[in-house]
Amino acid sequence: HAVTEALACNKMVVAYHLPIYDEVFADYLETGQMVLFPLGDFQAIADFILKTNFSKLHFNNQLEDYSWEKLAENELRIMKL
């Protein structure tokens, strides 16, 4: 489910190649929103992320929204309602 959720949120997906992905996510593979690597080739994924500066482009701004402190604050706010 994580792959479909990420794609639905217009986020780039980097994943291991599973044959079903070719059929189900063909459109995303063609546009480059989803990039696949050979199963178990973590070095290729790491190289891709470092080469494209993927971490800075897609995560830095979002990571601030998902700190443990903000998560706790949101949970407390919800409990008070």
Side-chain angles (χ1 to χ4, degrees):
H1 297 308
V3 171
T4 53
E5 288 177 8
L7 293 171
C9 292
N10 202 30
K11 299 298 178 189
M12 185 176 205
V13 172
V14 176
Y16 288 128
H17 181 262
L18 300 177
I20 191 69
Y21 288 171
D22 294 329
E23 182 180 338
V24 176
F25 300 115
D27 292 341
Y28 298 103
L29 292 167
E30 288 177 20
T31 64
Q33 187 177 347
M34 185 173 190
V35 181
L36 301 178
F37 293 89
L39 190 61
D41 193 351
F42 62 88
Q43 188 62 54
I45 292 176
D47 291 343
F48 174 78
I49 291 170
L50 292 172
K51 182 182 87 177
T52 59
N53 218 0
F54 181 80
S55 57
K56 286 187 179 178
L57 292 174
H58 295 279
F59 291 116
N60 281 353
N61 294 335
Q62 295 171 3
L63 287 176
E64 294 171 7
D65 294 335
Y66 294 101
S67 70
W68 284 112
E69 184 177 328
K70 285 192 177 195
L71 178 65
E73 289 171 1
N74 287 337
E75 290 295 320
L76 287 173
R77 184 176 47 77
I78 290 169
M79 286 191 259
K80 290 179 182 179
L81 294 176

